[in-house]
């Protein structure tokens, strides 16, 4: 059994699965069904045309149905995560989770299928009979040794890819790490010694792939719970383990690990001891992949062998071996060429693609997306991070080419440039916009102060922020109220231990805060008596003063009251950044088809051309915090001079100012909304447009247009909103809205942290 999860995490996870519609997936129509004609095309009688076409040519199913983008995630529930043999029904949440990963990372649709059968023959009959439905089969959480037999039989019977991710996903990433580690160590694969702890599905698949890469059978030594795998051993053996049996009298892991260049741990926490590491070869590779506790902790391994290269299955250490590095993209490449199998050459192509990506210099966009860190090939960067957006761009084409070269591709790709462009478009529509933001925030958490610290959403968000290591929270609230509500909501965080608390009724800094407030506002009609009252009662002012005084790095407020009230307080205390004429607000909506930033959604009622240009430059700068290149459309009822209203002329002039202020910014206007999102339409209307592709920053002519558009998109398109993001302030300060959820607070916290990181870097002279 795995380590027990915390009560808080259990509560949140159950609520997550129950909320709204139970579970994590749904089926949605991809075609319009708005009238009788649509129904006649989708079903009777029109559907007969598609059926007839498939009868004549079965390959047409790839173009007429969803089969070419549909994978079955199938399990019997006998080896679920670290939960073991919990059965098919209890396995369903995990299989739905796998479906979500397929969809999010590679755009592949999934049906999860849980089969109530422990009989290999029956299980294989069930799965094989599903071939007409699917383009590929992903076997999941089937225990060893049955999983070997199941996969072998299904590969023989089925004309579509069958892939057991627990085996081959892990093996492919291990293969990439071994390839790069041995390159750094100056060792040849045919000469290295491998000592493995564990002989289950993943371990055997890893060893098989290492043999394919060049490691010799006689140099591989295996140990499991029953000791060394040796010739003549009977206990716990099967024919797949027997392939690695050595003729030896050694019986323990400690004996076989001596002189090993590679330790492969797919077993249990703590089995590799520091004294064993000391007896390994120089510059060893230690792959301690047991989760959550590795076979040896990285700091212990490094102390025993300072030159060791270390991989784990954990996200809090470098070189995380996570199957999500490869399985979505292997299936993406296989499906896109209509592969009949995922063969050894395709797996090796994935190994090479992953290994080579670690050698690539990061682009400026990728560096911004992953914390501004320049990732360079070396002991702590043997394999890419699981959320590197370039993985799909390297692995899917490599797998597709290998399928074509080995003759298993039914629909070879004719234009790989066009294919690469299609994958590129998917990367920026995948809905993972916030992933790099969170990754960057975790690298250097900053102090974030929350004005409405007694609010349930803030308390729940603070728990997540602390658990995720995103920020160091300070809450403003009365201690007795905060403690009662923490208890009521079942939250484990406590003031003074997990987060700081400012009590507005009794804080030792009260007089200092009053003095600071008077310093900022005494020429705006604020008297000492009024200042004392405000600093006792206005939590936004308290938060802003903490930020102004350097006691916090970012601030979040706005869950109660009007936006403009909070903005006035920020204007008074924080003020504008140097050279900025006014505040503006940028809002992000994340849709299934992409992510779009809208401005100005909350501040400027009717900005002039100069203000439009300023907010656009500031908005573009914020967009880069997400690792995205801004593509700006200045929107209007006019399209490239089709009208001369005051609003149209304003947007036209704003573009002229932008051309002077930010000549390298990819921006165009004035234009209709559809032209901003449809390049073909835009080029028909205005072939000289400097904007290419789809705009992701939509600048509206006034507050009405921006706010109405934003609210409608949120409500009608099931969008995930992020923001509003206040731009133009001297320090990171953001005003949320009363409708924000705890999840929205967490998102804005991460964004506030990376903004604070960048400001700190700029002030210290570092490159932002």
């Amino acid at each position: 059994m795995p380590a027990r999860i915390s009560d808080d995490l259990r509560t949140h996870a159950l609520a997550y699965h129950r909320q709204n519609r139970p579970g994590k997936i749904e089926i949605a129509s991809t075609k319009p069904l708005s009238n009788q004609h649509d129904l006649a095309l989708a079903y009777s009688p029109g559907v007969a045309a598609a059926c007839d076409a498939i009868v004549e040519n079965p390959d047409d199913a790839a173009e007429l149905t969803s089969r070419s983008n549909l994978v079955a995630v199938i399990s019997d529930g006998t080896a679920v995560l670290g939960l073991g043999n919990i059965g098919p029904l209890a396995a369903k949440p995990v299989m739905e989770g796998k479906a979500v990963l397929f969809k999010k990372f590679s755009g592949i649709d999934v049906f999860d299928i849980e089969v109530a059968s422990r009989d290999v023959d029956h299980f294989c009959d069930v799965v094989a009979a599903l071939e007409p439905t699917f383009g590929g089969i992903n076997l999941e959480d089937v225990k060893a040794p049955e999983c070997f037999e199941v996969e072998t039989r299904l590969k023989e019977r089925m004309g579509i890819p069958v892939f057991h991710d627990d085996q081959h996903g892990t093996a492919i990433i291990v293969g990439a790490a071994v390839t790069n580690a041995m390159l750094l160590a100056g060792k040849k694969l045919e000469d290295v010694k491998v000592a493995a702890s564990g002989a289950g599905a993943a371990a055997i698949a890893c060893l098989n792939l290492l043999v394919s890469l060049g490691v010799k059978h006689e140099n591989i030594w295996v140990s499991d719970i029953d000791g060394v795998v040796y010739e003549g051993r009977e206990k716990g053996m099967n024919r797949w383990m027997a392939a690695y049996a050595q003729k030896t009298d050694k019986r323990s892991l400690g004996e076989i690990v001596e002189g090993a260049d590679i330790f492969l741990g797919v077993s249990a926490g703590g089995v590799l001891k520091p004294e064993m590491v000391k007896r390994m070869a120089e510059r060893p590779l230690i792959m301690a992949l047991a989760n959550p506790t590795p076979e040896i902790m990285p700091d212990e391994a490094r102390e025993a062998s300072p030159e060791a290269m270390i991989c784990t299955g954990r996200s809090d250490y470098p070189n995380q071996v996570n199957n999500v590095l490869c399985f979505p993209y292997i299936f993406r490449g296989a499906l896109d060429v209509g592969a009949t199998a995922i063969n050894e050459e395709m797996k090796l192509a994935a190994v090479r693609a992953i290994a080579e990506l670690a050698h690539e210099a990061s682009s400026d966009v990728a560096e911004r997306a992953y914390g501004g860190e320049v990732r360079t090939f070396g002991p702590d960067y043997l394999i890419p991070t699981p959320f590197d957006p370039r993985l799909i761009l390297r692995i899917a084409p490599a797998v597709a080419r290998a399928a074509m070269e080995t003759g298993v591709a039914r629909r070879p790709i004719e234009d790989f440039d066009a294919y690469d462009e299609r994958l590129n478009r998917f990367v920026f529509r995948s809905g993972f916009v916030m992933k790099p933001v969170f990754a960057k925030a975790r690298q250097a958490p900053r102090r974030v102060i929350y004005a409405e610290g007694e609010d349930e959403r803030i308390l729940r968000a603070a728990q997540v922020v602390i658990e995720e290591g995103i920020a160091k929270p300070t809450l403003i609230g009365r201690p007795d109220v905060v403690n009662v509500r923490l208890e009521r909501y079942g939250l484990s965080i406590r003031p003074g231990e997990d987060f700081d608390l400012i009590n507005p009724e009794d804080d030792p800094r009260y007089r200092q805060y009053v003095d600071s407030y008077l310093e900022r506002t005494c020429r705006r009609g604020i008297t000492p008596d009024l200042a004392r009252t405000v600093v006792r009662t206005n939590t936004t002012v308290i938060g802003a003063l903490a930020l102004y005084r350097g006691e916090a790095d970012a601030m979040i407020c706005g869950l109660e009251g009007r936006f403009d009230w909070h903005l006035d307080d920020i204007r008074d205390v924080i003020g504008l950044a140097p050279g900025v004429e006014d505040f503006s607000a940028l809002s992000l909506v994340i849709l299934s088809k992409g992510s779009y930033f809208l401005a100005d959604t909350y501040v400027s009622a009717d900005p002039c051309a100069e203000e439009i240009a300023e907010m656009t430059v500031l908005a573009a700068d914020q967009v880069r915090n997400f690792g995205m290149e801004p593509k700006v459309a200045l929107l209007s009822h006019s399209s490239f001079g089709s009208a001369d209203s005051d609003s149209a002329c304003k947007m036209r002039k704003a573009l002229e100012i932008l051309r002077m202020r930010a000549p390298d910014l990819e921006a165009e206007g004035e234009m209709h909304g559809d032209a901003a999102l449809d390049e073909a339409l835009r080029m028909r209307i205005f072939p000289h447009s400097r904007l290419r592709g789809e705009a992701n920053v939509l600048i509206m002519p006034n507050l009405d247009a921006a706010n109405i558009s934003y609210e409608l998109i949120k409500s009608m398109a099931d969008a995930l909103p992020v923001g509003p993001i206040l731009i133009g302030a001297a320090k990171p300060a953001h005003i949320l809205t009363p409708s924000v959820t705890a999840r929205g607070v967490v998102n804005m916290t991460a964004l506030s942290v990376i903004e604070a990181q960048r400001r700190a870097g700029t002030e210290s002279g570092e490159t932002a």
Side-chain angles (χ1 to χ4, degrees):
M1 292 292 288
R4 304 303 299 175
I5 64 175
S6 70
D7 290 340
D8 289 328
L9 183 56
R10 180 180 301 279
T11 299
H12 293 162
L14 292 174
Y16 173 86
H17 283 80
R18 286 188 177 115
Q19 67 185 6
N20 301 325
R21 184 176 302 183
K24 297 188 285 281
I25 58 176
E26 68 175 358
I27 296 174
S29 173
T30 60
K31 300 295 189 293
L33 290 169
S34 56
N35 53 45
Q36 186 60 42
H37 181 65
D38 290 343
L39 292 173
L41 296 175
Y43 198 56
S44 180
V47 71
C51 297
D52 290 341
I54 294 170
V55 170
E56 293 179 12
N57 180 11
D59 287 344
D60 280 354
E63 297 179 357
L64 297 172
T65 74
S66 63
R67 184 174 185 262
S68 63
N69 194 54
L70 188 61
V71 165
V73 171
I74 301 182
S75 178
D76 62 1
T78 54
V80 179
L81 293 174
L83 299 169
N85 188 351
I86 62 174
L89 183 60
K92 189 171 179 63
V94 179
M95 302 311 124
E96 286 190 357
K98 194 81 170 190
V100 169
L101 295 180
F102 265 108
K103 186 66 174 180
K104 284 294 185 181
F105 282 96
S106 60
I108 292 172
D109 296 314
V110 165
F111 288 156
D112 67 292
I113 298 176
E114 295 73 35
V115 180
S117 176
R118 301 292 177 84
D119 180 77
V120 170
D121 292 334
H122 183 234
F123 184 87
C124 289
D125 287 342
V126 170
V127 177
L130 297 170
E131 182 170 345
T133 304
F134 298 102
I137 302 292
N138 184 84
L139 296 172
E140 191 77 15
D141 294 345
V142 179
K143 74 181 181 71
E146 287 85 347
C147 62
F148 301 119
E149 186 68 34
V150 165
E151 186 184 40
T152 299
R153 290 193 195 181
L154 290 175
K155 282 183 173 181
E156 292 171 352
R157 293 177 62 176
M158 302 183 78
I160 57 176
V162 177
F163 187 82
H164 186 205
D165 182 48
D166 298 333
Q167 295 182 54
H168 308 300
T170 303
I172 287 165
I173 303 161
V174 164
V178 167
T179 298
N180 280 338
M182 295 304 99
L183 178 65
L184 284 172
K187 300 175 182 179
K188 296 181 179 179
L189 287 174
E190 58 265 30
D191 298 330
V192 300
K193 176 183 176 180
V194 177
S197 174
I204 296 299
C206 289
L207 297 177
N208 289 344
L209 191 62
L210 290 180
V211 170
S212 295
L213 287 168
V215 178
K216 293 181 179 178
H217 257 98
E218 57 265 31
N219 291 338
I220 296 175
W221 297 73
V222 182
S223 175
D224 67 0
I225 194 170
D226 296 314
V228 172
V229 175
Y230 61 90
E231 288 186 7
R233 179 180 134 175
E234 296 181 0
K235 186 178 181 181
M237 291 293 289
N238 57 58
R239 70 175 186 269
W240 296 278
M241 291 169 59
Y244 294 100
Q246 294 277 12
K247 189 174 183 179
T248 180
D249 58 1
K250 296 177 180 180
R251 294 295 183 265
S252 70
L253 176 62
E255 293 175 278
I256 65 172
V257 81
E258 186 163 359
D261 301 280
I262 299 167
F263 169 78
L264 173 64
V266 196
S267 54
V271 300
L272 183 66
K273 307 301 180 184
E275 55 269 23
M276 298 180 189
V277 174
K278 291 178 181 178
R279 300 200 304 272
M280 292 180 69
E282 293 182 356
R283 300 200 75 186
L285 171 63
I286 297 172
M287 309 199 76
L289 307 184
N291 248 334
T293 305
E295 283 78 2
I296 187 170
M297 295 301 292
D299 53 344
E300 291 182 297
R302 189 83 69 191
E303 184 177 351
S305 177
E307 293 186 336
M309 293 169 279
I310 305 164
C311 299
T312 71
R314 292 172 49 146
S315 61
D316 52 347
Y317 291 103
N319 299 320
Q320 182 192 11
V321 175
N322 185 331
N323 287 14
V324 81
L325 265 168
C326 68
F327 75 80
Y329 317 123
I330 290 171
F331 270 97
R332 181 73 278 161
L335 292 176
D336 289 341
V337 294
T340 58
I342 294 175
N343 57 31
E344 199 70 9
E345 291 81 3
M346 294 161 74
K347 289 186 283 185
L348 291 174
V351 169
R352 289 189 291 271
I354 295 170
E356 290 167 4
L357 179 55
H359 292 253
E360 289 188 28
S362 297
S363 68
D364 57 345
V365 173
E367 287 170 18
R368 284 197 299 271
Y370 289 88
E373 174 187 351
V374 180
R375 297 173 181 271
T376 56
F377 176 58
D380 287 336
Y381 191 54
L382 297 172
I383 50 177
T385 62
F387 296 110
D388 192 317
R390 298 169 295 173
L391 284 163
I392 191 172
L393 307 178
R394 303 294 183 272
I395 299 174
V399 169
R401 288 182 190 276
M404 292 163 58
E405 291 167 359
T406 54
V408 298
R410 284 199 185 100
R411 301 186 306 277
I413 293 171
E414 297 180 0
D415 185 345
F416 267 92
D417 288 338
Y419 181 58
D420 290 343
E421 176 58 29
R422 194 176 94 200
L423 294 176
N424 260 298
R425 288 198 301 272
F426 171 77
V427 167
F428 292 103
R429 290 180 174 180
S430 65
F432 269 77
V433 175
M434 292 304 297
K435 283 292 181 183
V437 175
F438 278 81
K440 184 175 180 180
R442 289 190 191 98
Q443 291 179 357
R446 292 294 195 265
R447 300 166 300 169
V448 178
I449 190 164
Y450 303 85
E452 293 91 359
E454 298 175 1
D455 190 284
E456 177 184 356
R457 293 163 292 177
I458 294 295
L459 295 172
R460 292 193 181 279
Q463 174 101 22
V464 175
V465 163
I466 292 164
E467 289 176 349
E468 295 289 326
I470 296 167
K472 302 170 184 176
T474 296
L475 276 57
I476 301 173
R478 294 161 293 177
D480 53 341
V481 174
V482 169
N483 285 320
V484 166
R485 292 182 179 179
L486 288 172
E487 193 71 29
R488 180 191 305 165
Y489 305 138
L491 303 175
S492 63
I493 56 174
R494 292 293 177 263
E497 299 175 17
D498 304 295
F499 63 91
D500 292 330
L501 185 66
I502 293 178
N503 180 2
E505 296 179 342
D506 183 20
D507 189 275
R509 293 163 292 188
Y510 170 69
R511 293 185 182 279
Q512 299 169 27
Y513 276 33
V514 170
D515 291 342
S516 295
Y517 187 54
L518 279 170
E519 174 192 331
R520 299 295 290 166
T521 62
C522 62
R523 293 185 181 274
R524 297 191 185 96
I526 301 296
T527 65
D529 286 343
L530 181 56
R532 284 189 284 271
T533 300
V534 169
V535 175
R536 278 268 190 246
T537 59
N538 188 324
T539 58
T540 297
V541 167
I542 296 171
L545 287 167
L547 181 59
Y548 168 72
R549 290 163 51 85
E551 295 163 4
D553 302 304
M555 169 185 151
I556 288 176
C557 63
L559 279 74
E560 300 171 4
R562 285 170 40 179
F563 188 96
D564 55 328
W565 295 346
H566 296 281
L567 182 61
D568 287 342
D569 292 332
I570 290 172
R571 190 188 301 274
D572 287 344
V573 179
I574 305 299
L576 292 161
V580 175
E581 293 298 322
D582 201 2
F583 296 100
S584 51
L586 180 69
S587 295
L588 166 63
V589 286
I590 302 174
L591 308 173
S592 59
K593 66 167 295 186
S595 301
Y596 305 94
F597 297 84
L598 286 72
D600 173 3
T601 47
Y602 281 92
V603 179
S604 306
D606 188 14
C608 65
E610 289 77 10
E611 291 169 330
I612 292 283
E614 178 180 82
M615 81 169 65
T616 302
V617 172
L618 294 172
D621 201 36
Q622 276 286 353
V623 171
R624 295 187 182 100
N625 280 338
F626 292 83
M628 299 169 62
E629 280 300 334
K631 292 175 172 286
V632 179
L634 302 179
L635 299 186
S636 172
H637 73 95
S638 170
S639 193
F640 303 107
S642 65
D644 287 317
S645 65
D646 290 344
S647 173
C649 291
K650 175 177 72 174
M651 300 305 280
R652 211 171 298 154
K653 183 179 179 182
L655 181 66
E656 295 174 5
I657 298 170
L658 270 179
R659 293 278 193 257
M660 293 184 289
R661 286 192 57 177
D664 295 330
L665 181 63
E666 190 174 347
E668 193 56 87
E670 82 285 8
M671 70 176 81
H672 290 167
D674 55 354
L677 304 179
D678 186 337
E679 182 180 31
L681 173 61
R682 183 168 63 251
M683 297 307 288
R684 284 200 303 272
I685 299 170
F686 189 68
H688 303 293
S689 173
R690 288 175 54 176
L691 176 63
R692 290 291 180 265
E694 183 179 78
N696 56 19
V697 183
L698 308 175
I699 305 296
M700 307 288 179
N702 57 46
L703 180 59
D704 283 345
N707 189 267
I708 291 169
S709 299
Y710 173 58
E711 298 295 345
L712 284 174
I713 292 170
K714 278 200 308 178
S715 299
M716 298 173 64
D718 193 25
L720 170 63
V722 178
I725 304 164
L726 187 65
I727 51 182
K731 292 177 178 286
H734 298 289
I735 307 167
L736 306 186
T737 62
S739 63
V740 72
T741 63
R743 181 186 183 192
V745 175
V746 173
N747 284 337
M748 280 306 300
T749 299
L751 187 60
S752 299
V753 168
I754 66 168
E755 189 179 352
Q757 290 171 351
R758 193 173 65 160
R759 301 258 186 136
T762 302
E763 290 167 6
S764 65
E766 300 172 12
T767 301

